[in-house]
Amino acid sequence: MLVILDRLFSRSGAQAPATGRLTPERAAAIAARAAAGTGLATTGTAVPTRTDTGLVWDVREVAYGSGWRVCVDNATGAPGPVGRWGLR
């Protein structure tokens, strides 16, 4: 009985993995092209984020201090505005 309850509760608390049309590598490449036009660095890490409107890839530059951040829409592949994040 305890095994059954453990399986039931362990599955309900875990979130389903976010999968989308774009791969993390493709989303990072789209964001890097958007950030390259601003003269900022062109490497980033993509993390899927669920919003009310769907799945968005949050791509941030891996850097010490301040870096760039771009959100890429999974449905359209369109990058959002390039912003700065981190310590300045």
Side-chain angles (χ1 to χ4, degrees), residues 33-51:
R33 277 198 309 271
T38 63
L40 300 172
T42 59
T43 59
T45 303
V47 177
T49 305
R50 292 210 182 270
T51 64

Side-chain angles (χ1 to χ4, degrees), residues 22-76:
L22 297 175
T23 63
E25 294 80 18
R26 180 72 179 134
I30 292 169
R33 277 198 309 271
T38 63
L40 300 172
T42 59
T43 59
T45 303
V47 177
T49 305
R50 292 210 182 270
T51 64
D52 294 337
T53 58
L55 185 67
V56 174
W57 291 93
D58 186 9
V59 185
R60 297 181 187 202
E61 177 187 21
V62 180
Y64 182 75
S66 64
W68 57 264
R69 176 183 184 199
V70 178
C71 290
V72 178
D73 186 358
N74 184 63
T76 63

